[in-house]
Amino acid sequence: MVMKTVFIAGHSRLTSGMAAKSVYDTLTITAEVDRKYGVIISAGCTLATDHARGYIEELLKGHSLKDGIDDVIQEVKLHYFGKAENALISALRDLHKQYELHFLDKK
């Protein structure tokens, strides 16, 4: 049986002074993505609190990586006002890059 989803991770460095920095040196965003449409089914990240991780998942769910990453980044800029904003954006760009490298080129 062929899985209908793929698992992708994007990474970025955390800046000092963030709660997650005490546990991790990098911020990681993971996403389960529909293979056919590129839609994010579920997502996770290494932010420090359950609340923050859940909020980011809700922000990302439903977006299609086939449409690029700019709309998702705009959502983060409009709705996330924590110290990790730049790290989240960088990790999202890396996530999208990984999607393009490992999925779009495999068609």
Side-chain angles (χ1 to χ4, degrees):
M1 180 173 123
V2 175
M3 297 231 4
K4 295 181 180 183
T5 60
V6 293
F7 185 84
I8 303 168
H11 308 277
S12 69
R13 292 209 176 273
L14 288 170
T15 58
S16 60
M18 297 177 53
K21 179 76 173 166
S22 65
V23 179
Y24 306 106
D25 287 328
T26 60
L27 177 90
T28 301
I29 295 177
T30 59
E32 181 181 3
V33 179
D34 177 82
R35 182 179 293 275
K36 185 174 182 180
Y37 300 106
V39 174
I40 297 172
I41 306 298
S42 65
C45 68
T46 55
L47 289 174
T49 66
D50 289 338
H51 194 191
R53 291 188 296 270
Y55 191 81
I56 294 304
E57 178 174 21
E58 290 302 313
L59 265 179
L60 301 181
K61 279 194 324 190
H63 287 281
S64 175
L65 294 175
K66 283 188 174 185
D67 295 335
I69 201 67
D70 292 338
D71 288 347
V72 180
I73 289 171
Q74 188 62 28
E75 289 291 313
V76 170
K77 288 180 178 180
L78 288 172
H79 300 285
Y80 181 86
F81 299 105
K83 288 184 179 182
E85 180 181 345
N86 289 334
L88 284 166
I89 290 169
S90 181
L92 284 168
R93 286 189 176 119
D94 187 51
L95 179 91
H96 188 256
K97 178 181 172 183
Q98 297 305 314
Y99 175 76
E100 290 180 324
L101 289 172
H102 298 286
F103 187 70
L104 291 182
D105 292 343
K106 303 276 184 205
K107 284 187 167 183

